Amino acid sequence: MPVMADCAGMLGAIGHGLQGLTSGFDRLDRAAASIARDTESERLASNAVDLLKATHEVRAGATVLRAADEMTGTIL
């Protein structure tokens, strides 16, 4: 039964990793479009911060996916 729990946890981790990637890329698209559209320096700074947040979200999601991938080999 522990193997089933591990598999369920793995699927959850994969889902969270994919959600992080999707969220990060969505934030990146919105910030890039806003930078292209807005030229106000105040908004530019806010959008630059969003770009950095998006980078961290994507990296975190990729790290979760990488860990889940490594764990798959361990479980099997």
Side-chain angles (χ1 to χ4, degrees):
M1 203 60 157
V3 172
M4 290 300 290
D6 289 342
C7 289
M10 187 90 51
L11 291 176
I14 291 170
H16 286 295
L18 291 174
Q19 183 179 11
L21 287 175
T22 301
S23 175
F25 282 123
D26 286 346
R27 182 188 298 263
L28 179 74
D29 286 342
R30 285 191 308 274
S34 189
I35 287 171
R37 189 177 54 244
D38 299 334
T39 57
E40 299 173 22
S41 62
E42 184 176 305
R43 291 285 303 151
L44 184 61
S46 174
N47 290 323
V49 169
D50 279 343
L51 286 174
L52 290 173
K53 287 179 183 178
T55 301
H56 291 295
E57 272 185 283
V58 170
R59 283 185 181 161
T63 300
V64 169
L65 287 174
R66 190 174 304 117
D69 179 53
E70 290 172 4
M71 288 298 295
T72 302
T74 302
I75 290 173
L76 297 177

